[in-house]
Amino acid sequence: MSNLFGLLTLKKESVPLKSIEVQLEVKDHVAAVVSTLNYENKEDKPLEAVFVFPLPGDAAVCHFSAQIGETHIVAEVKEKQQAQEEYDDALSSGQQAFLLEESDQSPDIFSLSVGSLPPGESASIRLEYVTELAVEADDGLRFCLPAVLNPRYQPQGSQGPSVQVTSVPASLVPYSLSFSARVSSPRPISKVESSCSLEPLQYLNTDQTQATVKLAAGHKFDRDVELLIYYKDAHQPTAVVEAGQASAKPGTLMGDPVVMESHQSRIASARDTLLLLLKSLPMGCYFNIYSFGGSYEHVFPKSAKYSQKNLKRALKRVEEMNADLGGTEMLGALQHIYGQPCIPDEPRQLFIFTDGEVCNTKTILDEVKKNCEFHRCFSFGIGEGASSELINGMAREGGGCAQFIVGNERMQPKVMQSLRLALQPLVSDISLSWDLPKGVSATILSPPLRSLLQGHRSLIFAQLTGECSEATDGCLTVRFTAAGHQCQNQLHFDLQAAEGTANDSGCDQKGDLPLTCFTTHRLVARTLIRSLEREQRENGEEVEEIKRVVELSLQSGVSSVFTAFLAVNKSNGKAVQGPLIYRENPTHRQLRHGVWLDLMSDDSCGEKNIFRRIFSSWRKRTSANKHGKSLKKKQFSGDSEPRKSARDPLLELVSLQDASGCWLLDPCLAAALGKSTEDLEKTKPASAKKDVWATILALIWLHGVQVDAKDEWDLLARKAALWLRAKKALCIRDWVEAGNVLLGCNVQTDALGL
């Protein structure tokens, strides 16, 4: 418990951050967030507090202000070094000052310095940001308010200190949280879910397009607050036109209207997830497994043909892999994989599982982007504290999608949802064309679209310039080639800007901007700033590029790595008596145990996809394993001996499937089905071969007993059905009927895909 003393004052009182209040406003798939942090200095001396905290990696921080007594001060965005110097000068002259800056290593980490807070004084800090909501594979929109900031792994030889944050047990987090959300959309809101306890959803109108929800009373901010928002007709494309700021110069980003187009084409344990993933791969593909930490290892020298022999070898090697590779350094493994030649016309697909605790986020994302033309990347953040910038960024730069697994969520359904996306045909030759009134033109501000995935949202930002005589419609046409066919989608939108977005006088009495003010402009600014920062990293310390970032940050009021928010209260000029007491506010860290993976694979399209690499990483062994209890070697090795330990019946059955898709008629299968070997043998139709009968029984059991878990076994069941169809059995319906009798099910032949 000695590590707790750094969290207390000399009087053993709590650190000065007392509470956090969060208001969330969601409009369709964009969120505006206002966080109010309340500080109190109970020391008998002036105090400086530093609070390091995470935000979504793609958030645009656009407002920062402070309330001290009756004095309200609004921060300005300034060049970072200038802001730091002015902050130090303010403290030296006895003035109160507040500094908000983004980490140089990772854009999802911020530090807030509260300077020269007098004894007995309180301060309220208001922080506002806007962000896009990530789309889950089940069409839910995910918002996460992070509670955890784990110390990030620092690669050997890298420069700059990693972020160090004092951590405390959940029960000792010294500040409370209140959280409320308002959701509105052109489409009805079907439900809002959370891993935390919520009060019932309250609809504000009869068509259910507006609703409010809040955390239940008594919530402790000891874990991430995650909301999953579901709309009806989620696949309908949408467009938002936002008018420019009246006081801004025409022709600039903030002065012109912008349009945001939303286009949408039509682990339990990590070991179990790897098992499901490997069993679901189609015959004819190639794969490999990598583990990484401070170093990396792989199963095969190069991608191996997917066969029962290689599958058994891979699973056996997975059992033998050590989790003590150190750290979370994936860059070396990525570079090795990218260095392997691709099979012609077979783009690589990477499935990456990680807890996201790295500090060289930007370097990793640059590496993924550099190789984006040769692969698609599907990333998974495991556990509390996974870097949203790393997980979302790898998927964004790699043209795939991101998923987060937190709390007690099962990893398997989310992984299989992403695998279905990976099995979609590749989309190529993507082009955009605009149909706008005469005198109006559009300039694309978002990165080029490189991929489209069915059920996955793609955002397009554009700046509209020029004027038209009357309000009218515009149209965006997206053309692409999929599976050799020319396709196109059109989205019509009203050029009239949404009401309430262009009013410069829409501030509250304190001078704070409303939640909905210029959200789209600021998201566009954030996109441009990140693009310019990336160019600067690629080209070195280019003064001109840094200047462009700073200018855009100052114009839009959105933070960047080269700027910071500074607020100085110049009304109090008393000299500081004695040194400031420094306090670092703790962030709760939750200890996690388990076997983590990081997966990668490749494909072409359809059921004959070619998977080249599966990239896996194990973070830490289970706590039981740490105490010397070894994992059973034949847990899912593919051997046909009955298992001695009880397992989930579904995973037991999955572990017995052959790489080709069939099952064998043996004691292990009988045990998994809850029958004896004699039962299976004596009920087998005389004309049915043993492997055909076994496969029919396995499929009937999946469809009849495990229907609620279909998301997990659907792909491997399709492979089994494909294997059965290739046998061209004439009595298949009679055999299915016999299987139903044995297993007590009533599954139709057509439902099995036969």
Side-chain angles (χ1 to χ4, degrees), residues 135-147:
V135 182
E136 300 285 280
D138 65 352
D139 294 331
L141 295 176
R142 178 180 183 270
F143 169 79
C144 181
L145 181 68

Side-chain angles (χ1 to χ4, degrees), residues 343-376:
I343 300 174
D345 300 322
E346 302 291 348
R348 176 178 292 126
Q349 298 215 73
L350 311 178
F351 275 58
I352 305 179
F353 288 61
T354 178
D355 60 10
E357 293 182 18
V358 302
C359 75
N360 59 338
T361 301
K362 294 178 180 179
T363 304
I364 292 173
L365 297 185
D366 289 345
E367 188 70 22
V368 174
K369 179 177 175 58
K370 186 169 66 175
N371 293 276
C372 64
E373 296 182 6
F374 308 105
H375 80 297
R376 290 194 294 194

Side-chain angles (χ1 to χ4, degrees), residues 720-739:
L722 189 65
W723 181 88
L724 282 171
R725 291 201 301 268
K727 299 300 179 181
K728 299 181 179 178
L730 300 178
C731 304
I732 195 74
R733 291 187 180 274
D734 294 337
W735 299 346
V736 170
E737 184 177 347

Side-chain angles (χ1 to χ4, degrees), residues 307-381:
S307 64
Q308 182 64 13
K309 176 182 177 182
N310 285 334
L311 177 60
K312 288 180 63 175
R313 177 182 172 186
L315 293 177
K316 183 176 185 296
R317 179 66 179 278
V318 165
E319 288 289 337
E320 298 171 351
M321 282 183 175
N322 293 323
D324 57 358
L325 297 178
T328 312
E329 176 46 57
M330 67 176 68
L331 183 60
L334 280 173
Q335 291 172 334
H336 184 270
I337 290 171
Y338 291 146
Q340 303 296 311
C342 288
I343 300 174
D345 300 322
E346 302 291 348
R348 176 178 292 126
Q349 298 215 73
L350 311 178
F351 275 58
I352 305 179
F353 288 61
T354 178
D355 60 10
E357 293 182 18
V358 302
C359 75
N360 59 338
T361 301
K362 294 178 180 179
T363 304
I364 292 173
L365 297 185
D366 289 345
E367 188 70 22
V368 174
K369 179 177 175 58
K370 186 169 66 175
N371 293 276
C372 64
E373 296 182 6
F374 308 105
H375 80 297
R376 290 194 294 194
C377 182
F378 296 84
S379 55
F380 301 83

Side-chain angles (χ1 to χ4, degrees), residues 249-325:
K249 181 180 178 181
T252 63
L253 170 62
M254 298 304 292
D256 282 343
V258 296
V259 59
M260 176 173 59
E261 309 276 358
S262 171
H263 174 78
Q264 197 161 354
S265 320
R266 291 277 209 229
I267 245 178
S269 75
R271 286 181 181 272
D272 297 336
T273 302
L274 177 59
L275 169 64
L276 277 170
L277 188 61
L278 290 176
K279 294 288 186 176
S280 300
L281 298 182
M283 293 297 291
C285 73
Y286 293 79
F287 74 108
N288 205 347
I289 300 177
Y290 282 70
S291 64
F292 62 80
S295 59
Y296 63 88
E297 299 174 354
H298 46 74
V299 174
F300 304 106
K302 63 179 181 179
S303 297
K305 189 76 175 266
Y306 183 72
S307 64
Q308 182 64 13
K309 176 182 177 182
N310 285 334
L311 177 60
K312 288 180 63 175
R313 177 182 172 186
L315 293 177
K316 183 176 185 296
R317 179 66 179 278
V318 165
E319 288 289 337
E320 298 171 351
M321 282 183 175
N322 293 323
D324 57 358
L325 297 178

Side-chain angles (χ1 to χ4, degrees), residues 642 649 652-653 656 665-684 693-694 697-698 700-701 705 738-745:
E652 186 68 27
L653 184 77
L656 300 173
L665 194 66
D666 60 24
C668 290
L669 177 65
L673 297 176
K675 302 293 180 181
S676 67
T677 306
E678 183 182 2
D679 290 336
L680 271 58
E681 292 280 3
K682 71 180 182 182
T683 56
K684 182 183 76 67
W693 176 238
L697 292 177
I700 291 174
W701 187 86
V705 179
N740 277 319
V741 173
L742 173 64
L743 299 177
C745 298

